[in-house]
């Protein structure tokens, strides 16, 4: 007898490298995939969303940016930063936001991520591939290592660190390649009324916004996907 085929669930994640809740949301979602091990195959793909599409090349001091954008005080900003660091730390990710930490323009990072996604096979065996590896490396470069992920040399180095061709990455960054694809995707998701990240789309139809706890995803998948397929 052949073993029953394990269902496959697509997971489309809208995210920005500048978004601390995006890495937190992903770390929580890994626990969801572990929960369904042997019952579901997952296929994860990342999609571009720019929190600050007009961010200048020099970036902006992160604390000043948050205070200006959300109308909060310096004390509130520090409290929020501490909360984020605590939550991330519990999930095994280090936020090392020193006094010189800056928000950066993420458009070129999205171009590289789009390229990495295009290299993957749609029917690959694993839930994740080189695109996810690049995404996580960019999160680490920005939030843990305080590197400028809008800088072309840094981006090429990060791409090479996950096994991508550094020369090809540098050539993409020096051109306009994948820029139109990023803009087209961003426009598409805006038309779908996605206004914040992270945003998880399960099976191409179920939107779960925010860095939800694993239990939220598990409940939705159990009731809307697993039970429906039984």
């Amino acid at each position: 007898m052949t073993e029953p085929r394990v269902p496959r669930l697509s997971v489309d994640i809208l995210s920005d490298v500048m978004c601390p809740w995006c890495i937190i949301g992903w770390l929580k979602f890994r626990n969801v995939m572990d929960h369904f091990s042997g019952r579901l195959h997952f296929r994860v793909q990342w999609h571009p969303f720019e929190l600050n599409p007009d961010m200048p090349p020099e970036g902006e001091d992160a604390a000043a940016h948050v205070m200006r954008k959300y109308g909060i005080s310096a004390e509130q900003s520090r409290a929020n930063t501490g909360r984020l660091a605590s939550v991330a730390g519990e999930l095994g990710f280090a936020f090392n936001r020193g006094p010189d930490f800056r928000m950066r323009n993420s458009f070129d990072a999205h171009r590289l991520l789009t390229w990495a996604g295009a290299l993957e096979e749609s029917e690959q065996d694993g839930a994740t591939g080189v695109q996810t590896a690049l995404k996580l490396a960019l999160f680490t470069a920005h939030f843990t290592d305080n590197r400028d992920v809008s800088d072309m040399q840094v981006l090429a180095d990060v791409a090479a660190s996950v096994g991508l061709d550094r020369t090809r990455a540098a050539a993409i960054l020096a051109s306009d390649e994948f820029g139109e694809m990023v803009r087209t995707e961003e426009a598409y998701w805006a038309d779908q009324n996605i206004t914040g990240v992270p945003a998880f789309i399960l099976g191409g139809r179920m939107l779960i916004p925010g860095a939800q706890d694993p239990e939220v995803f598990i409940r939705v998948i159990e009731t809307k996907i697993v039970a429906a397929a039984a």
Side-chain angles (χ1 to χ4, degrees):
M1 293 179 61
T2 59
E3 294 184 2
R5 184 175 181 274
V6 177
R8 189 178 182 90
L9 179 64
S10 66
V11 182
D12 294 289
I13 308 175
L14 279 79
S15 162
D16 192 356
V17 175
M18 295 296 108
C19 167
W21 286 110
C22 289
I23 178 58
I24 289 172
W26 166 251
L27 295 171
K28 290 181 177 183
F29 190 76
R30 289 194 311 186
N31 294 328
V32 177
M33 294 194 294
D34 290 342
H35 176 85
F36 287 101
S37 178
R39 298 173 61 198
L40 281 177
H41 284 318
F42 291 85
R43 174 69 171 97
V44 175
Q45 293 178 292
W46 297 83
H47 302 277
F49 186 102
E50 292 177 86
L51 288 171
N52 305 291
D54 299 321
M55 182 65 67
E58 68 274 15
E60 183 181 6
D61 176 79
H65 171 81
V66 170
M67 288 187 288
R68 175 183 58 78
K69 186 172 183 178
Y70 299 105
I72 61 176
S73 66
E75 183 178 353
Q76 289 172 314
S77 176
R78 285 192 295 270
N80 289 343
T81 298
R83 177 181 172 226
L84 284 167
S86 177
V87 173
E90 291 174 0
L91 294 166
F93 187 87
F95 278 6
N96 296 324
R97 296 175 59 162
D100 297 326
F101 183 72
R102 299 181 74 79
M103 299 298 289
R104 302 290 183 179
N105 187 294
S106 58
F107 183 71
D108 285 334
H110 285 303
R111 290 201 294 130
L112 281 191
L113 286 161
T114 301
W115 165 54
L119 295 174
E120 296 185 356
E121 297 291 337
S122 60
E123 296 302 319
Q124 67 184 29
D125 291 335
T128 62
V130 70
Q131 189 192 39
T132 295
L134 178 59
K135 185 76 172 186
L136 299 183
L138 288 167
F139 278 133
T140 298
H142 178 56
F143 287 113
T144 304
D145 301 333
N146 287 317
R147 300 176 75 187
D148 180 358
V149 294
S150 67
D151 180 88
M152 291 188 180
Q153 296 298 319
V154 171
L155 286 170
D157 287 344
V158 174
S161 76
V162 298
L164 289 165
D165 185 326
R166 191 188 190 284
T167 301
R168 175 71 176 119
I172 290 169
L173 292 166
S175 71
D176 295 326
E177 270 193 275
F178 296 98
E180 185 176 350
M181 290 180 65
V182 170
R183 294 296 189 215
T184 299
E185 268 217 79
E186 289 177 332
Y188 170 79
W189 293 114
D191 286 345
Q192 306 307 306
N193 296 317
I194 305 295
T195 58
V197 287
F200 295 77
I201 300 170
L202 307 179
R205 58 189 177 87
M206 283 174 288
L207 169 65
I208 299 183
Q212 303 288 348
D213 288 335
E215 292 75 18
V216 174
F217 287 99
I218 291 169
R219 183 170 62 250
V220 170
I221 293 171
E222 289 280 12
T223 58
K224 301 295 186 181
I225 295 171
V226 175

